[in-house]
């Protein structure tokens, strides 16, 4: 009986194919992982924005509009007042208040590598410190009639850099909670603050929440709020 030969790959062909697959994976996986990470962070920030906005609404129902609370910028008394009025409406696993709790993030840096000494450590008593069940830490800072809420999405873990794992929401005197540096509605004026070469990272919360990517870490000079929003 005549034997039928079945076509098969040689060892060399298999190795070449595996090599090509490896090269393609090495080229595409980092981007896939980066995109997934950005979408996870965007989802978390949107959820925190909604949660904090609801807490603000409840606090204002009890204590009146935020602009009537007598909030003064960067004072322990105002941080304590705001924190104690808002926290009953948040689900927390820890409430450090204005104390310097060592289990919380301490020093942190701006996206461009710089620091602002008066606010360079969350251990300062101008921050009211909270921890949520997902591991995020919230730092409520009193402003001129309003508040800022700085969020460290992974707690004390590194890198502790604005625009990478630390982001900021603003609470306007009218009680509206929005990502910082873009106004009450998204616009272009704050975008330069999310360029690693020149900016401190204040506007990165808005970028990642609205654009759902962190491409500003790779090609910020090529991006525009109302134009190109991705490197590729």
């Amino acid at each position: 009986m005549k034997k039928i030969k079945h076509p098969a790959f040689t060892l060399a062909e298999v190795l070449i194919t595996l090599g090509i697959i490896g090269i393609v994976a090495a080229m595409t996986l980092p981007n896939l992982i980066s995109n997934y990470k950005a979408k996870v962070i965007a989802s978390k920030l949107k959820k925190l924005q909604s949660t904090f906005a609801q807490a603000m609404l409840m606090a204002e129902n009890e204590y009146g509009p935020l602009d009537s609370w007598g909030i003064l910028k960067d004072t322990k008394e105002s941080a304590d007042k705001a924190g104690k009025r808002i926290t009953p409406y948040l689900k927390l696993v820890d409430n450090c208040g204005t104390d310097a709790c060592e289990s919380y993030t301490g020093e942190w840096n701006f996206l461009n590598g710089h620091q602002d000494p008066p606010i360079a450590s969350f251990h300062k008593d101008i921050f009211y410190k909270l921890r949520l069940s997902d591991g995020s830490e919230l730092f409520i800072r009193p402003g001129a009639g309003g508040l800022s809420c700085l969020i460290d999405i992974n707690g004390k873990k590194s890198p502790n850099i604005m625009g990478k794992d630390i982001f900021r929401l603003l609470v306007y005197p009218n009680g509206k909670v929005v990502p910082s540096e873009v106004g009450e509605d998204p616009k272009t004026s704050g975008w330069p603050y999310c360029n690693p070469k020149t900016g401190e990272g204040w506007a990165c919360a808005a970028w990642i929440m609205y654009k759902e990517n962190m491409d500003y870490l790779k090609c910020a000079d090529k991006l525009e709020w109302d134009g190109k929003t991705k490197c590729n």
Side-chain angles (χ1 to χ4, degrees), residues 104-105 131 135-137 152-158 160 165:
Y104 283 72
T105 301
R131 184 177 292 121
S136 300
E137 294 176 355
D152 190 331
I153 60 170
N154 61 352
K156 201 172 182 179
K157 297 177 183 177
S158 61
N160 297 325
D165 62 343

Side-chain angles (χ1 to χ4, degrees), residues 64-125:
L66 177 60
D67 58 10
S68 70
W69 290 10
I71 299 296
L72 300 176
K73 184 177 180 179
D74 289 346
T75 64
K76 178 180 182 297
E77 293 73 20
S78 288
D80 199 54
K81 178 191 292 184
K84 288 181 177 178
R85 292 183 175 186
I86 297 168
T87 51
Y89 307 105
L90 294 170
K91 293 181 180 180
L92 308 173
V93 295
D94 188 63
N95 183 342
C96 177
T98 53
D99 294 336
C101 297
E102 292 299 323
S103 63
Y104 283 72
T105 301
E107 288 195 7
W108 58 281
N109 294 308
F110 290 131
L111 189 60
N112 59 13
H114 298 162
Q115 281 189 333
D116 184 1
I119 59 172
S121 174
F122 288 132
H123 289 169
K124 293 179 179 290
D125 62 12

Side-chain angles (χ1 to χ4, degrees), residues 31-232:
N31 283 335
L32 291 175
I33 293 172
S34 176
N35 291 339
Y36 173 75
K37 178 182 176 182
K39 290 185 182 299
V40 169
I41 294 175
S43 177
K44 180 176 283 192
L45 290 177
K46 290 175 184 178
K47 181 179 179 181
L48 286 169
Q49 179 189 22
S50 175
T51 299
F52 202 82
Q54 287 296 319
M56 277 301 308
L57 180 62
M58 299 294 287
E60 288 187 310
N61 284 340
E62 181 172 354
Y63 296 102
L66 177 60
D67 58 10
S68 70
W69 290 10
I71 299 296
L72 300 176
K73 184 177 180 179
D74 289 346
T75 64
K76 178 180 182 297
E77 293 73 20
S78 288
D80 199 54
K81 178 191 292 184
K84 288 181 177 178
R85 292 183 175 186
I86 297 168
T87 51
Y89 307 105
L90 294 170
K91 293 181 180 180
L92 308 173
V93 295
D94 188 63
N95 183 342
C96 177
T98 53
D99 294 336
C101 297
E102 292 299 323
S103 63
Y104 283 72
T105 301
E107 288 195 7
W108 58 281
N109 294 308
F110 290 131
L111 189 60
N112 59 13
H114 298 162
Q115 281 189 333
D116 184 1
I119 59 172
S121 174
F122 288 132
H123 289 169
K124 293 179 179 290
D125 62 12
I126 61 171
F127 295 104
Y128 196 95
K129 309 158 190 69
L130 312 166
R131 184 177 292 121
L132 304 182
S133 58
D134 65 358
S136 300
E137 294 176 355
L138 306 186
F139 303 92
I140 300 173
R141 177 190 176 194
L147 302 168
S148 61
C149 178
L150 289 100
I151 304 163
D152 190 331
I153 60 170
N154 61 352
K156 201 172 182 179
K157 297 177 183 177
S158 61
N160 297 325
I161 293 175
M162 179 70 73
K164 291 187 176 181
D165 62 343
I166 295 176
F167 302 92
R168 184 174 72 165
L169 303 176
L170 291 181
V171 186
Y172 281 80
N174 63 7
K176 189 171 183 178
V177 181
V178 298
S180 69
E181 303 303 331
V182 293
E184 294 189 43
D185 295 302
K187 59 183 181 180
T188 60
S189 62
W191 164 234
Y193 291 105
C194 200
N195 188 323
K197 297 178 182 178
T198 58
E200 296 174 340
W202 295 115
C204 295
W207 183 272
I208 195 170
M209 289 171 71
Y210 290 112
K211 312 304 180 184
E212 294 194 340
N213 69 63
M214 298 177 74
D215 282 19
Y216 56 81
L217 296 176
K218 298 180 289 186
C219 64
D221 292 335
K222 298 179 180 179
L223 304 180
E224 297 178 359
W225 187 271
D226 293 321
K228 183 180 176 67
T229 60
K230 293 184 178 181
C231 295
N232 299 317

